[in-house]
Amino acid sequence: MMETMDLSARGALAGKTYLIRTFGCQMNLHDSERVSGLLDSYGALEVAAPEDADIVVFMTCCVREAADQRLYGQCNSMKSLPTAPSGRRVIAVGGCIAQRDGDGLLVNVDNVDVIFGTHAIARVADLISQAFIDGERHVLIDEEGIAPATDMPWHRATSYHAWVPIMTGCNNFCSYCIVPYVRGREKSRPMEEVVDEVTGLVRTGVREVTLLGQNVNSYGRDLFGSPRFAELLRRVGDTGVERIRFTSSHPKDLLPETIDAMADVPAVMPHLHLAVQSGSSRILKLMNRRYTREDYLGLVGRIRDRIPGIALTTDIIVGFPGENEEDFLETLSLAREVGFAQAFTFIYSRRAGTPAAEIPDDTPHEVILDRFNRLVSVIEDTAHAFNQHELGRRVPVLVEGVSKKDDSILQGKSPKNQTVHAPLPKGASITDLVGKIVDVDIDRARTWYLSGAIAGVAR
C-alpha cells in the first residue's frame, strides 16, 4: 500500500515547481533543505519567484509574535498571485507555528492546503501530493515511527557549507521560550552518525559545517548520562573539515572541556555565540536561565584566557516583564564589559503558554523602545571596537558571493564570522571564487564589516 501511495505521490509532484520561504533559526534552514531535497526526489523543480511556483512552502518560527503576523501576511499575499503554472497552487506551512497551532492555523489563514509539524517533515511530499490529487486540506503534526529529517535527502543552498544537526529539542524551559513545547525534549544523534555524515560531506567538497542544536552544550546527555560535546568537536575535527562552527550554546552548560576542545582543534573557528539574554541576575532568575551575571562574566574570562581574541556574540532581550531601569543598566554595562562583536537584540514578545506570559508588566512601550535603542547604540560601539583589532592583519576569508550593493566586490566570512569585502581581482569570476578561501589584507574596519585587498591565490 505504501509503495502504491509513494508512486502516486511522485506522479502528482513530477514536473511541479516549488518555492520555500524560511523564517527563524538555523534549524529551520536545515529543515528547509530537507524539504527541498524531498521535493526534488519526487520530481519537483525549484523556482525563485512565488508566481512561478505550483507549491509554496513556509517554514515558520514562533519565537516572536511578529513571526505569526508575517506568516499570515505572506499567506494572504499568495491570493493575489496569477494562476500557478500547473493551474493550481498548493500552500504548505511547516515549522514551529505549524507544530504549535496545528489545524487551528486555518482560523487565521484560509488558503493553506497542508500543515505539517516539526516531527512530520518526512511526510511533506505525500501530504502535498494528496492535496493536488483530492483537493482537500491535510494536517499532520506528529506521527510515530516516521523517519527523522536527518534521514531525508537534502538540497543544500551551497556546495561548500552544510548544516549538521547533532540534536533536536530542548530541556531548559527558559520562561520566555516556546521552543521546548514545539521542538520537544532533547534528543541527541549517535556520535558515529554525526561523524560519518561530516566525513561524507568532506568527501563531496564541503569546507565548513555548522553543528546545530537548541543547546549543543547538552549534546549526549541523553545518550551517555553527561554531555559529550567536547568529544564530538574533537571527533568532527579529525574528519578533515576545514571550518567548524556551532549554535546555539547555553552558558550554564559550557564545560571547561568544551572550551579546551575549542582551543585545541584547529578547525573550530574562534567565534562563539553565547546568549546572555540579560545582564541582571534578578531578570536572569525570572527567565529561568540558571546562571547569574557573575557566572556569565566569569565564563567569558575563562574563554578569553584560553582563546585570546575570540569573537563573542550574543542574544539580548529588552523589556522582559518586570525589567526596570536598574536591570537594564546592568545589561548595558555587561555588554560594554564583554565587548560583544555582535548581538541579536530583541524586544520581549509575549508567547502564550510560557511562564513569562503570566508575569504582569506595565512598562510603557516607549520606555522599552528607548532602552532598546540605547542597547543597539552600545552594541554598535562594541562591534566597531572589536573590528579595529583586524586592521593591518591578513585574514583568511571563505568566499560566499558578491556584495548586495556592488557585484564587483566579493563577500565572505572570516574565521571570527565577520563579513569581509574585497574587490574582485581583474579578470576574476565570482563563480570561480565562491567556496574558495582567499587571504585578505584588511585596511578598513567598520561596525559590521571588514574590507581590504586579496593577497595571493585562492585555495
Side-chain angles (χ1 to χ4, degrees), residues 123-139:
R123 289 287 307 280
V124 64
D126 291 330
L127 296 169
I128 292 172
S129 66
Q130 280 302 117
F132 275 112
I133 291 168
D134 60 23
E136 301 293 329
R137 287 174 163 177
H138 295 272
V139 179

Side-chain angles (χ1 to χ4, degrees), residues 312-344:
L312 292 176
T313 58
T314 197
D315 298 332
I316 300 175
I317 296 171
V318 177
F320 185 83
E323 181 185 64
N324 59 35
E325 182 68 10
E326 183 180 350
D327 297 315
F328 176 71
L329 290 176
E330 289 193 272
T331 296
L332 286 188
S333 66
L334 181 140
R336 291 191 186 98
E337 185 170 346
V338 174
F340 290 114
Q342 187 180 15
F344 297 95

Side-chain angles (χ1 to χ4, degrees), residues 335-412:
R336 291 191 186 98
E337 185 170 346
V338 174
F340 290 114
Q342 187 180 15
F344 297 95
T345 53
F346 310 98
I347 290 177
Y348 170 74
S349 180
R350 192 177 298 272
R351 299 280 75 190
T354 62
E358 305 303 318
I359 302 175
D361 185 71
D362 58 0
T363 308
H365 179 72
E366 57 268 25
V367 171
I368 294 173
L369 186 60
D370 175 69
R371 290 173 182 167
F372 178 82
N373 291 333
R374 288 154 63 194
L375 174 62
V376 168
S377 179
V378 168
I379 296 301
E380 288 174 346
D381 290 344
T382 62
H384 184 269
F386 182 82
N387 281 347
Q388 302 315 299
H389 297 295
E390 307 304 317
L391 279 174
R393 293 184 178 179
R394 179 166 291 181
V395 174
V397 176
L398 180 59
V399 180
E400 298 176 328
V402 294
S403 166
K404 293 179 180 178
K405 296 181 179 180
D406 187 344
D407 60 12
S408 70
I409 304 293
L410 67 79
Q411 179 172 298

Side-chain angles (χ1 to χ4, degrees), residues 150-162:
T150 50
D151 291 342
M152 294 165 54
W154 66 5
H155 175 149
R156 292 202 315 274
T158 71
S159 61
Y160 57 86
H161 171 271

